[in-house]
Amino acid sequence: MAKRTIRDLDVAGKRILVRVDFNVPLDDEDGRIVDDTRIRAALPTVEHLLTQGASVILMSHLGRPRGQRVPALSLAPVAERLSQLLGRAVGMAPDCVGAEVAAQAAVLQPGQVLLLENVRFHPEEEQNEQTFAQQLAGLGDAYVNDAFGAAHRAHASTEGVPRCMGAGASGLLMEQEISYLDEALRRPQRPFIAVLGGAKISGKIELIEHLLDRVDALLIGGGMAYTFFKAMGLEIGDSLLEEDRLNTAQQLLTRVETGGLDLQLPVDCVVADRFAADAQAQVVARDAIPRGWQGMDIGPQTRQCYADQIARGGTIVWNGPLGVCEMAPFAQGTQQIVQALAAATCEGALSIIGGGDTAAAVAQAGLAQAMTHISTGGGASLECMSGRVLPGVTALDDEES
């Protein structure tokens, strides 16, 4: 998946059309940007292009306006914040296509930045409609994709534009994501440990299947563990259960047993009498979950076991919380794993964090800087780790050998 990067481009005096991921969370009441991490992540690419004498045209989506112009999902607040971070004016286009936008792009001078309005205000974006892609492509002289978080979508701005322009290069963020999530997973430092959590098996089946033969240990937590328990014939009370995935769970367990693979499930759990932060809670063995109670977190014995596994890891990938970590009483398992990962990284392990909820848990612990790499793309990182081809990456030019 090695791709040509902006370092390979002669950009001086050219208008560079850059797909970024500015899909940032906004405050529902005042539209204020709650977290500017994704804006900051694009700065190295933008600053590199400006330093090399280019003018930069940025395009992004924000939210899910479903092909309609939704004022609350305008990128105007992003333009303001980006201007502050860059220390220079950022122009805000009234749209992403049209005569007025084309005129704005045409007069851009080296060192100037223009942010296009939300590309998803047009249904043609998600339809990857060719005429719309051609209109976007006509705004720039060269195309750069730095939006790994949208690379798993074959949309006009991610797949159609580079096809229209006949070429495309990766930005610095995209390059970093590809390096860690593809190359590091294909050639990991051993032992290779994967930690998978989250609510459901259904969203992680391909990832589990892809990793099982590659990792030295696969540690399971979160709500998905209870479907595995049910497939083992255990009582799970009112814990989360995907009945339509019981056969899948059973097949995976059979594959593990017959193949001598190392898939580890929690040995104890924190259960509660209801789904609430102030619920009555207790620690029980996985085969002793009371009826009417529900699993909310991995138990202390499991936390220590998983932490020990992580401590021996050479490469550790983690996707998905191990409990209901939005509730403080049931966040201890996830937080202990964060601590274990930070300690392992300090000792030389390569730690890769994928998924928005997982990244948020790491940030909440104040340990984001202690990890090797935190992916900016939730769905994209999951699909990349599952071995899927990402359309937005495939569309870029391969690195010259």
Side-chain angles (χ1 to χ4, degrees):
M1 285 176 63
K3 296 294 177 177
R4 196 164 61 117
T5 77
I6 55 173
R7 298 188 192 89
D8 303 313
L9 301 180
D10 178 8
V11 302
K14 296 179 180 178
R15 293 169 298 154
I16 310 301
L17 185 61
V18 186
R19 178 50 158 104
V20 288
D21 183 8
F22 288 164
N23 185 30
V24 296
L26 301 174
D27 187 281
D28 292 334
E29 295 184 1
D30 58 14
R32 177 180 51 85
I33 295 172
V34 177
D35 182 353
D36 66 1
T37 300
R38 286 181 171 173
I39 302 174
R40 291 178 179 274
L43 292 179
T45 290
V46 175
E47 290 172 338
H48 172 88
L49 293 171
L50 295 173
T51 300
Q52 297 299 312
S55 55
V56 177
I57 303 167
L58 302 169
M59 56 181 174
S60 177
H61 73 283
L62 176 59
R64 297 180 177 178
R66 304 189 187 282
Q68 303 293 321
R69 180 173 286 273
V70 180
L73 294 178
S74 169
L75 283 163
V78 174
E80 182 179 350
R81 181 60 182 143
L82 180 60
S83 178
Q84 295 169 353
L85 293 171
L86 285 175
R88 69 177 74 200
V90 173
M92 182 66 212
D95 204 339
C96 60
V97 292
E100 186 177 355
V101 177
Q104 281 183 286
V107 298
L108 275 184
Q109 298 300 306
Q112 293 185 326
V113 183
L114 176 66
L115 176 61
L116 305 182
E117 185 55 282
N118 194 336
V119 291
R120 286 192 184 173
F121 282 177
H122 296 262
E124 295 88 350
E125 159 67 4
E126 294 187 71
Q127 294 165 3
N128 197 4
E129 198 274 325
Q130 185 173 358
T131 301
F132 180 72
Q134 289 172 336
Q135 288 182 287
L136 290 172
L139 300 175
D141 301 310
Y143 174 82
V144 169
N145 192 340
D146 209 32
F148 180 77
H152 59 311
R153 306 297 188 196
H155 292 170
S157 64
T158 59
E159 197 275 336
V161 171
R163 180 160 35 85
C164 291
M165 299 182 80
S170 70
L172 300 178
L173 176 62
M174 177 73 82
E175 178 188 30
Q176 184 182 54
E177 294 275 16
I178 292 172
S179 174
Y180 282 116
L181 289 171
D182 180 59
E183 295 176 19
L185 293 181
R186 284 192 291 121
R187 291 183 289 274
Q189 302 173 31
R190 298 284 179 176
F192 183 13
I193 311 295
V195 184
L196 298 183
K200 298 181 178 180
I201 291 177
S202 53
K204 303 277 174 70
I205 290 173
E206 286 192 7
L207 180 56
I208 294 171
E209 292 179 335
H210 186 69
L211 289 176
L212 262 179
D213 294 320
R214 291 167 171 79
V215 299
D216 297 294
L218 180 56
L219 317 179
I220 299 290
M224 72 165 76
Y226 301 97
T227 299
F228 278 108
F229 289 167
K230 190 71 173 180
M232 294 164 61
L234 301 179
E235 169 64 53
I236 64 168
D238 290 343
S239 303
L240 185 65
L241 170 65
E242 290 181 276
E243 289 196 40
D244 60 337
R245 298 297 179 181
L246 282 172
N247 286 339
T248 300
Q250 182 59 64
Q251 290 168 6
L252 287 169
L253 291 171
T254 300
R255 178 181 165 192
V256 167
E257 185 176 353
T258 58
L261 305 172
D262 190 357
L263 182 146
Q264 300 182 25
L265 292 163
V267 294
D268 59 347
C269 318
V270 178
V271 296
D273 60 355
R274 57 194 176 90
F275 192 82
D278 60 351
Q280 182 179 346
Q282 60 177 315
V283 176
V284 297
R286 70 184 184 191
D287 60 355
I289 298 175
R291 290 190 177 184
W293 290 60
Q294 54 191 294
M296 303 288 278
D297 195 8
I298 56 174
Q301 189 177 340
T302 302
R303 294 171 206 162
Q304 188 58 57
C305 176
Y306 284 8
D308 291 343
Q309 291 287 331
I310 289 168
R312 74 182 182 92
T315 299
I316 307 117
V317 297
W318 179 24
N319 186 290
L322 300 184
V324 187
C325 60
E326 63 269 27
M327 298 182 187
F330 310 113
Q332 293 182 51
T334 298
Q335 289 302 310
Q336 189 163 333
I337 295 305
V338 174
Q339 298 284 344
L341 270 164
T345 308
C346 184
E347 292 297 318
L350 184 74
S351 56
I352 301 172
I353 311 300
D357 292 339
T358 319
V362 173
Q364 185 178 5
L367 290 171
Q369 298 301 316
M371 306 300 169
T372 306
H373 179 69
I374 298 179
S375 178
T376 57
S381 67
L382 190 63
E383 294 199 16
C384 187
M385 287 192 291
S386 299
R388 291 187 187 178
V389 173
L390 306 183
V393 175
T394 302
L396 303 177
D397 296 341
D398 290 335
E399 181 182 52
E400 294 183 3
S401 57

